[in-house]
Every structure is written in structure tokens, then in C-alpha cells.
């Protein structure tokens, strides 16, 4: 398993750096092809919708055929989608590659954590998942930063080609990953009631994040008057803060355990978001934004590990697929509402609504754990009882 983890994390470095490069170059490539903002927005919307639907449908399929097989295929399709985008031209072809790009992303999101959890001891799941998030966000951030220089030197098409090539290197390394697969008897089945409850939490959290995150650059540049250079620096900084926040999960769990860590992360996230609503200067607002990004990245790995404990191994893929779909729906709702509020110049209201939904997500999570009979949950291998914070 240790060798498999080395291969897994090595492949993720190449894949995530490639994702950062391609993600940076993608909008500029579309723009250089003569597309306006409206059509570019359609391509991104199609990508997001394809990702959510693919996660929902491919999760149970992965449970049947083996998550490790699907996540290797998804990694290869990710690199291939970048290459096909760079080598094609015209809105119709880019629409097709955008769908492929989204499907590959949905397949990855519904299987990567399943494979990683199969290579981890139960008591280490939250720590391993958090280090994984930290690693891939770090490499995506580095790829995004490098994407600016690559694009200046070689252009947006070359940026996509380099990103696709690196993703395919990651796919080749992943062929060496040997992971145990728990197989379900059927590929297609309805989600359990517990999964639907879990997905409702994902929707709430997605709304809270989607209300503001897509508009970060617009707010920094437009509302606070930051230059393009500072705006891009702060935007890239948010990626690194996700990595930093995820890296804090293991030490926080060692000191505080699960319940208090979740309570602290949600409380501070809510307070910082409220403070942002009343901050009028660019410097403090940017600092609060970076802090909020780090804080909101803490609950994810912990909650994933808890939800895994509630789910049979043969349903892991479906569970992550339903969660990713719920998160995508929440992001879409939040982005739509956030765009409307921002269009009316109501930034403070947007942030206050985001804070309220964050608090609501935490309250629902506590209720959910109690509803599932786990107000106290026990780490299986260490027999340490952990209370869910009130």
C-alpha cells in the first residue's frame, strides 16, 4: 500500500500541475478563437453540468467495475480533453471537448477519494484525504502561476498542450497503482436515504461557497480597485490557502478531534465572512478572503471521512458521486444568486447570505449526524470516542 500511495501522490503532482496550466489557459484560448464572454460562459456552464451528471452516474458504475479502473480512465480522459481542445477550433467542437472535460472531471471526483481511502487505514482516512487535498491544490496553484509565464512565452494553445501532456504523464504513472476494489452487485441503483441526506449537506455548502467564490476577481478588481497584478496574485493565493487549510486538518484533529475542529472551522468561517461584509479597504478584505478560503477548506476531508464510515464499501463511488452532484447543484444555485446580488451592487448582502448559509450547513450537519444515530462516533481502530460539537 505504501508503494501504491507513492505512485498515487506522484501521479497527482503531474495531473494537478497540468490542470493548473490548462485551467489558466482555457479562457484565453477561447478568447483568442474569437468567442465572446457569453459563449465562453456557456462552455463553462456545460463543463460544470457535465461534471455533476458524470459524477452522479459514474459513481455507482465505479462501484460495480472497480473505482481504481475508472479513476485511471478518468485521468487519461482529462489529459486527452485538454489536447483535443487545443487541437480543435470552433464553438461546436469546443462544446464537445468541454463535455468530455467535464465528464472526466466528474469521474475523477467520484473515484479519487474512493481509491485513496482503500489505500488508507481507517484511523488515518481524514489525515490522508486532507493531505491529498493540500497536495493537489498546491500543484494546481503552482500550475496556475506557471500558466501566466507559459502563455506569455508560447501562447494559450501551447499552455493547453503542455497541461494535457503533463496530465497524461500522471495517467501513465497511475497504471502502476494497485488498489483493492470493493465490487457492488449492480451498476445502477437508487441512492439510499442516507446518501440523499448527505447530498443535502453538499448542496448547502455548495451554495455558501458558490455565492462568492466565482466572483472573487471581479470583486477585487472592480469593487476594491486592485490592479490586475494584485488581483491575480490574491486569486492564486486562494488556491494556496486551500492547500494550507487542508494541511491543518491532521494537527487540528490530533489536538481537538473531529467535532470541535468542525465547530471551530465553521464558527471562524462565519465570523470572517460577516467581517468581510463590513470591510471597505482592499488590504484587510484580501487578508480576510485568504483566511476564509483556508477555513472553509478544513471541513471537507473530515466530513468525507465521516461519510465514508456511514457508507458500505461497495457504495463509496455512488456516495462521492451523489455528494459531488449535490455540491455542483449548490454551486450553480449560489452562483446564480450571487451574480444577481452582485449585479445590483449588494456585495455586503451577498457575503451576509453566504455566512448565514455556512452556519445553516453546520447546523444541518450536526442534525444529520444525530439523525443517523451517530451523535457519538467511534474511530474503529483506536476506539477513541469523539463528540460532535453542538
Amino acid at each position: 500500500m505504501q508503494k501504491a500511495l507513492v505512485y498515487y501522490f506522484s501521479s497527482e503532482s503531474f495531473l494537478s500541475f497540468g490542470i493548473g496550466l490548462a485551467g489558466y489557459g482555457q479562457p484565453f484560448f477561447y478568447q483568442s478563437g474569437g468567442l465572446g464572454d457569453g459563449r465562453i460562459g456557456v462552455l463553462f456552464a456545460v463543463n460544470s453540468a457535465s461534471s455533476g451528471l458524470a459524477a452522479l452516474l459514474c459513481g455507482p458504475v465505479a462501484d460495480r467495475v472497480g473505482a481504481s479502473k475508472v479513476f485511471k480512465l478518468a485521468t487519461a480522459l482529462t489529459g486527452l480533453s485538454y489536447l483535443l481542445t487545443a487541437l480543435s477550433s470552433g464553438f461546436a467542437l469546443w462544446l464537445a471537448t468541454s463535455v468530455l472535460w467535464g465528464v472526466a472531471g466528474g469521474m475523477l471526483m467520484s473515484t479519487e477519494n474512493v481509491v485513496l481511502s482503500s489505500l488508507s487505514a481507517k484511523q488515518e482516512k481524514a489525515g490522508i484525504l486532507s493531505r491529498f487535498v493540500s497536495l493537489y491544490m498546491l500543484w494546481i496553484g503552482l500550475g496556475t502561476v506557471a500558466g501566466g509565464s507559459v502563455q506569455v512565452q508560447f501562447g494559450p494553445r501551447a499552455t493547453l498542450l503542455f497541461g494535457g501532456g503533463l496530465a497524461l504523464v500522471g495517467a501513465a504513472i497511475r497504471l502502476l497503482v494497485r488498489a483493492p476494489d470493493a465490487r457492488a452487485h449492480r451498476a445502477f441503483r437508487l441512492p439510499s436515504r442516507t446518501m440523499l441526506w448527505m447530498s443535502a449537506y453538499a448542496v448547502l455548502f455548495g451554495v455558501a461557497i458558490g455565492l462568492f467564490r466565482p466572483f472573487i476577481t471581479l470583486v477585487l478588481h472592480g469593487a476594491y480597485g486592485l490592479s490586475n497584478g494584485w488581483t491575480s496574485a490574491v486569486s492564486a493565493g486562494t488556491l494556496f490557502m486551500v492547500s494550507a487549510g487542508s494541511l491543518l486538518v491532521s494537527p487540528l484533529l490530533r489536538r481537538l478531534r473531529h467535532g470541535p475542529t468542525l465547530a471551530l472551522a465553521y464558527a471562524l468561517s462565519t465570523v470572517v465572512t460577516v467581517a468581510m461584509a463590513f470591510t471597505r479597504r482592499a488590504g484587510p478584505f484580501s487578508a480576510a478572503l485568504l483566511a476564509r478560503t483556508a477555513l472553509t477548506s478544513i471541513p471537507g476531508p473530515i466530513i468525507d471521512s465521516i461519510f465514508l464510515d456511514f457508507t458500505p464499501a461497495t457504495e463509496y463511488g455512488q456516495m462521492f458521486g451523489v455528494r459531488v452532484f449535490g455540491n455542483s447543484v449548490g454551486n450553480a444555485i449560489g452562483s446564480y444568486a450571487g451574480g444577481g446580488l452582485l449585479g445590483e451592487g449588494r456585495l455586503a448582502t451577498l457575503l451576509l447570505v453566504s455566512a448565514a448559509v455556512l452556519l445553516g450547513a453546520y447546523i444541518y450537519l450536526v442534525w444529520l449526524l444525530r439523525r443517523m444515530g451517530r451523535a457519538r462516533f467511534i474511530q474503529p481502530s483506536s476506539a477513541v470516542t469523539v463528540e460532535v460539537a453542538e
Side-chain angles (χ1 to χ4, degrees), residues 167-314:
L168 289 178
V169 172
I173 297 174
R174 285 194 168 173
L175 293 175
L176 302 174
V177 176
R178 299 287 182 265
D181 285 321
R183 304 289 182 87
H185 294 297
R186 290 185 297 153
F188 294 101
R189 56 195 185 278
L190 293 175
S192 66
R193 185 178 300 178
T194 301
M195 285 187 195
L196 294 177
W197 289 340
M198 293 174 182
S199 69
Y201 165 79
V203 171
L204 285 173
F205 190 79
V207 170
I209 300 303
L211 274 163
F212 179 64
R213 183 170 288 175
F215 311 105
I216 287 175
T217 54
L218 295 177
V219 169
L220 292 173
H221 186 63
Y224 285 89
L226 289 184
S227 66
N228 287 324
W230 276 108
T231 298
S232 62
V234 175
S235 298
T238 60
L239 297 174
F240 293 118
M241 292 309 291
V242 173
S243 176
S246 301
L247 207 58
L248 287 173
V249 171
S250 288
L252 283 172
L253 289 180
R254 284 195 294 269
R255 289 179 176 274
L256 301 177
R257 308 273 175 89
H258 291 66
T261 299
L262 287 173
L264 180 65
Y266 272 103
L268 291 178
S269 298
T270 303
V271 169
V272 170
T273 305
V274 170
M276 290 171 65
F278 300 99
T279 302
R280 297 292 177 261
R281 296 171 57 193
F285 184 87
S286 300
L289 169 63
L290 294 174
R292 179 186 189 266
T293 304
L295 290 166
T296 53
S297 69
I298 291 174
I302 301 173
I303 293 166
D304 280 348
S305 69
I306 294 172
F307 283 179
L308 283 171
D309 286 342
F310 289 133
T311 307
T314 55

Side-chain angles (χ1 to χ4, degrees), residues 134-156:
S134 177
L135 175 77
Y136 76 69
M137 290 307 302
L138 173 64
W139 281 108
I140 289 175
L142 291 173
T144 301
V145 172
S149 300
V150 172
Q151 180 165 288
V152 169
Q153 294 293 323
F154 303 102

Side-chain angles (χ1 to χ4, degrees), residues 61-151:
V61 173
D63 288 330
R64 179 68 182 92
V65 303
S68 64
K69 293 182 175 64
V70 175
F71 109 116
K72 292 172 185 177
L73 174 62
T75 305
L77 288 178
T78 299
L80 183 62
S81 69
Y82 299 160
L83 297 182
L84 290 176
T85 300
L87 296 174
S88 60
S89 61
F91 181 75
L93 287 176
W94 288 335
L95 194 64
T97 58
S98 183
V99 170
L100 179 61
W101 195 324
V103 168
M107 290 169 66
L108 270 178
M109 287 187 288
S110 62
T111 54
E112 277 193 317
N113 283 347
V114 177
V115 176
L116 188 57
S117 67
S118 73
L119 298 172
S120 312
K122 288 189 176 181
Q123 73 272 21
E124 297 174 349
K125 274 186 171 55
I128 291 289
L129 291 174
S130 66
R131 286 194 288 273
F132 174 62
V133 174
S134 177
L135 175 77
Y136 76 69
M137 290 307 302
L138 173 64
W139 281 108
I140 289 175
L142 291 173
T144 301
V145 172
S149 300
V150 172
Q151 180 165 288

Side-chain angles (χ1 to χ4, degrees), residues 318-379:
Q318 185 176 33
M319 186 275 286
F320 277 112
V322 170
R323 184 187 63 75
V324 170
F325 179 75
N327 197 255
S328 298
V329 170
N331 279 327
I333 295 171
S335 298
Y336 180 79
L341 290 170
L342 202 59
E344 297 175 2
R346 299 168 64 184
L347 175 60
T349 302
L350 183 155
L351 288 165
L352 290 175
V353 172
S354 179
V357 179
L358 271 175
L359 183 59
Y362 174 70
I363 293 172
Y364 177 81
L365 177 66
V366 173
W367 173 86
L368 175 60
L369 295 178
R370 289 175 180 269
R371 175 67 182 263
M372 292 190 293
R374 297 293 291 275
R376 286 175 175 268
F377 59 88
I378 299 176
Q379 300 300 326

